[in-house]
Amino acid sequence: MRVTLCQAVLAFAIIINLLILYYVSRLQQQMLHRHRDHVQPSPRLLPSPLRPGITVLLREFEDFENYVPSVAKSFLKEKPEQPIVVAADALPYPPIVLPNVPNVQLVVLKPAPDQPAHVSRPENYVRTEYVALVPDGIKVDSTRQLDQMLEEFKTNQGQVQMVAAPVQSLTPLLCLNLNVSLKEWTAEYSTAPSSKLCSALKGDAVILLRTKDLFNFSAPLAKPLLTSLFIQMALRGWKVRILDVSFSSAHQPLLSSSHNQWKADNRAKANRVQLFRAFGIKRVILEDGKEQWFGCSKETPRCFGTIHDDTPEYLYQNRWTPPCCLKALRETTKYVINILETSGVRYWLEGGTLLGAARHQDIIPWDYDVDLGIYLEDIPNCELLRNVESGSIVDEKGFVWEKAIEGDFYRIQYSEHNHLHVDLWPFYPKNGMMTKDTWMDHRQDIEFPEHFLKPLVPLQFADFTALAPNNYRRFLELKFGEGVIENPEYPNPALKRLEKN
Ligand SMILES: *[C@@H]1O[C@H](CO)[C@@H](O)[C@H](O)[C@H]1NC(C)=O
Ligand SMILES: *[C@@H]1O[C@H](CO)[C@@H](O)[C@H](O)[C@H]1NC(C)=O
């Protein structure tokens, strides 16, 4: 086929047209990008090294009433280039109108499905070596305040990882000691012996720390902010020093109405519950000795699942029995023993429960149930045990009595919701030995001479006295092996061993 000149010219024109179209669209796209970058200066994906200086970080404020813009302005008035980051869980509503300068930025921590992940990561916005966590409503009186904090921080280097400048208010900033044991799911506050060197604070303060320390915490900006930071610091053995520098408050009280205060208090309470839940802290002892519980109760399910291979899930998490469970087990045991005693059923502490009583007069700190032995022939003396033959019973105190489906024994549950339990194992004497018909696949589940029960002896157990086999050391060594009292071990050492210091 021959190509005419006309056809060639036409083809050439089409190609030129396509090329022009391509360049125009490229240009448009580039302009669009530049425009978008201008609207939202998104942080770089690969952060540059931190530069000297301090970023002011505002994290805790209420959407419905806050002074975030005036706090920002107060810092900018002293130092117009002061970097300020406002970190909110979600886009604040009503909107917060921040000073329109590039060094003041709002981070929304909630990831948006149409945005890359780095947009919601606060560490991409704090690009200075130090960060000052600033409560809402404060006023800066001089440029020197933050600089002075930084100087003091450097002077105390190695001794403290954080410094705090109190916000002047009616209640002074309290210096506390905080002892956190994740193993025992417990945080314990007490009054610190020093008034300046603390492991936790109570009250409002401006906090200064290294940016890399803040963002190396597992939850750097969890709320309540200071509660969360001090728990994580206590776990690292870190300290905070209270400085003589202080800030004043532009709004005392911060919130203008009691209704807003009520809303803020409720939110703070909810945040606290959520924080302790996330950190796995179920028992908090306050500096005045009051206890707060964040764990299971009679109305909630047991806080660990079905046990596999005698090794409850918390042992794999390097934790012991949650304190609420130990408390519920002690309460159930005391209750059951009282019923057995008053109805004339002979019982004794059995297995691991006896071991705990012999070892330290309490439930073994990683145990998950309580075992009692009873005389089979005494069962008819107890109305509840007699009646469970025909189905489970919820008694007047909400405990659930039932005949176990796994064999000939009885189980008393803490409640219908919470299945923490005490097991009753009926034995009967045969040729001087105590025996039974249902055996579990446990080393300690064996026959034993009846003379251990004649007589039964009192033994301290938690806050009451229970009955135990006489000569219980020999009884335990017969069941578990020599030296069992002195050498604690987890129930299934083949799967999980107790770490000994
Ligand atoms: C902290 O708790 C642990 C474990 O409960 C305890 O052994 C230790 O003595 C406590 N330390 C202080 C200072 O209270
Ligand atoms: C972050 O913390 C871990 C342990 O908590 C520590 O080993 C590591 O050195 C820290 N990293 C930095 C950069 O501080």
Side-chain angles (χ1 to χ4, degrees):
M1 190 184 77
R2 265 184 63 91
V3 180
T4 66
L5 182 67
C6 185
Q7 279 170 329
V9 167
L10 210 65
F12 182 71
I14 289 173
I15 289 168
I16 291 290
N17 256 315
L18 282 175
L19 278 176
I20 290 173
L21 214 66
Y22 172 74
Y23 276 110
V24 167
S25 83
R26 274 280 304 257
L27 212 65
Q28 265 180 349
Q29 254 176 26
Q30 272 174 8
M31 277 165 68
L32 208 69
H33 270 289
R34 227 171 279 154
H35 179 67
R36 210 182 280 157
D37 285 351
H38 179 74
V39 169
Q40 191 182 34
S42 60
R44 272 174 299 267
L45 198 52
L46 283 174
S48 52
L50 300 177
R51 57 176 195 274
I54 304 169
T55 298
V56 164
L57 180 62
L58 276 133
R59 171 66 180 124
E60 281 183 313
F61 51 85
E62 303 299 336
D63 279 15
F64 51 84
E65 183 179 359
N66 67 68
Y67 301 92
V68 170
S70 29
V71 175
K73 278 181 208 141
S74 162
F75 277 100
L76 292 178
K77 198 174 129 228
E78 299 296 335
K79 194 174 177 189
E81 73 282 9
Q82 173 64 55
I84 299 174
V85 171
V86 177
D89 293 315
L91 194 63
Y93 181 82
I96 293 180
V97 182
L98 290 171
N100 189 15
V101 287
N103 48 314
V104 179
Q105 288 184 293
L106 173 74
V107 200
V108 174
L109 301 175
K110 185 177 164 186
D114 63 344
Q115 294 287 327
H118 68 88
V119 170
S120 55
R121 300 242 171 91
E123 58 269 41
N124 290 326
Y125 295 75
V126 179
R127 302 313 307 155
T128 53
E129 280 173 14
Y130 296 90
V131 58
L133 309 173
V134 168
D136 193 13
I138 66 154
K139 198 172 78 203
V140 187
D141 303 312
S142 103
T143 29
R144 292 284 305 138
Q145 280 165 301
L146 284 183
D147 296 340
Q148 232 174 316
M149 287 185 76
L150 183 53
E151 277 164 30
E152 295 267 3
F153 181 90
K154 288 179 174 163
T155 317
N156 284 285
Q157 203 132 329
Q159 201 190 16
V160 299
Q161 288 72 18
M162 186 189 263
V163 289
V167 175
Q168 283 160 9
S169 81
L170 297 175
T171 50
L173 188 64
L174 271 186
C175 180
L176 301 176
N177 242 348
L178 171 59
N179 197 358
V180 181
S181 166
L182 291 183
K183 186 161 257 171
E184 292 159 286
W185 312 74
T186 296
E188 181 170 6
Y189 294 88
S190 53
T191 312
S194 143
S195 61
K196 299 282 175 199
L197 191 61
C198 336
S199 48
L201 302 173
K202 189 176 169 184
D204 279 338
V206 172
I207 297 287
L208 183 112
L209 75 165
R210 274 202 187 82
T211 303
K212 79 171 175 48
D213 285 346
L214 175 66
F215 291 111
N216 197 23
F217 284 138
S218 71
L221 296 185
K223 293 201 273 191
L225 185 61
L226 294 192
T227 310
S228 149
L229 291 182
F230 292 132
I231 289 171
Q232 297 175 82
M233 291 203 6
L235 288 167
R236 290 161 175 78
W238 289 6
K239 297 270 181 196
V240 52
R241 178 177 288 285
I242 302 183
L243 304 179
D244 293 325
V245 189
S246 68
F247 283 79
S248 51
S249 169
H251 305 273
Q252 277 280 18
L254 185 61
L255 300 176
S256 59
S257 69
S258 56
H259 177 70
N260 279 356
Q261 188 60 51
W262 173 82
K263 268 165 76 174
D265 289 347
N266 273 353
R267 195 163 305 189
K269 237 180 259 170
N271 285 337
R272 204 173 140 82
V273 171
Q274 200 178 5
L275 178 77
F276 287 133
R277 202 156 283 163
F279 283 176
I281 291 175
K282 293 179 185 284
R283 179 174 172 238
V284 176
I285 302 153
L286 299 176
E287 65 280 4
D288 60 5
K290 283 203 189 98
E291 267 185 320
Q292 291 179 328
W293 293 86
F294 298 87
C296 55
S297 72
K298 266 198 130 117
E299 287 75 41
T300 64
R302 180 173 83 170
C303 42
F304 52 89
T306 306
I307 314 286
H308 297 273
D309 303 315
D310 304 328
T311 309
E313 61 193 54
Y314 50 76
L315 287 187
Y316 292 107
Q317 301 162 9
N318 293 318
R319 291 179 179 237
W320 288 346
T321 315
C324 50
C325 302
L326 290 173
K327 187 166 157 249
L329 279 173
R330 290 185 197 110
E331 185 186 327
T332 313
T333 310
K334 187 176 181 176
Y335 177 75
V336 169
I337 284 182
N338 187 38
I339 289 181
L340 295 177
E341 282 177 355
T342 50
S343 53
V345 175
R346 288 165 290 170
Y347 76 91
W348 60 96
L349 302 176
E350 251 298 341
T353 307
L354 178 62
L355 187 54
R359 201 179 274 154
H360 58 104
Q361 292 79 52
D362 201 353
I363 297 172
I364 294 175
W366 50 84
D367 210 352
Y368 47 86
D369 65 4
V370 163
D371 293 314
L372 302 177
I374 57 171
Y375 269 89
L376 181 69
E377 67 194 69
D378 292 352
I379 288 174
N381 298 347
C382 176
E383 195 187 338
L384 281 157
L385 290 180
R386 227 171 34 233
N387 292 344
V388 290
E389 294 294 338
S390 47
S392 80
I393 296 172
V394 183
D395 73 12
E396 58 195 9
K397 293 272 160 55
F399 294 89
V400 181
W401 296 66
E402 61 187 22
K403 187 101 192 268
I405 38 172
E406 296 95 330
D408 280 329
F409 64 97
Y410 299 86
R411 178 160 285 179
I412 297 97
Q413 284 174 188
Y414 186 43
S415 75
E416 281 180 280
H417 296 289
N418 192 329
H419 294 185
L420 285 163
H421 55 256
V422 172
D423 284 337
L424 304 182
W425 301 93
F427 283 82
Y428 56 88
K430 195 173 161 190
N431 307 325
M433 296 295 279
M434 294 303 287
T435 188
K436 59 189 170 90
D437 297 329
T438 300
W439 296 99
M440 296 287 139
D441 186 23
H442 286 146
R443 157 163 202 178
Q444 69 268 28
D445 200 22
I446 51 169
E447 294 184 345
F448 60 89
E450 193 184 10
H451 65 71
F452 282 112
L453 307 180
K454 300 206 152 183
L456 290 165
V457 299
L459 187 58
Q460 185 67 28
F461 187 69
D463 67 339
F464 59 99
T465 305
L467 291 174
N470 65 67
N471 226 329
Y472 51 80
R473 172 173 290 275
R474 271 198 43 227
F475 180 86
L476 284 167
E477 297 201 323
L478 169 79
K479 292 202 164 200
F480 289 95
E482 203 127 319
V484 66
I485 298 178
E486 290 75 21
N487 300 296
E489 189 43 273
Y490 287 161
N492 191 343
L495 288 178
K496 183 76 188 162
R497 294 198 69 101
L498 175 65
E499 282 165 28
K500 283 159 193 150
N501 304 331

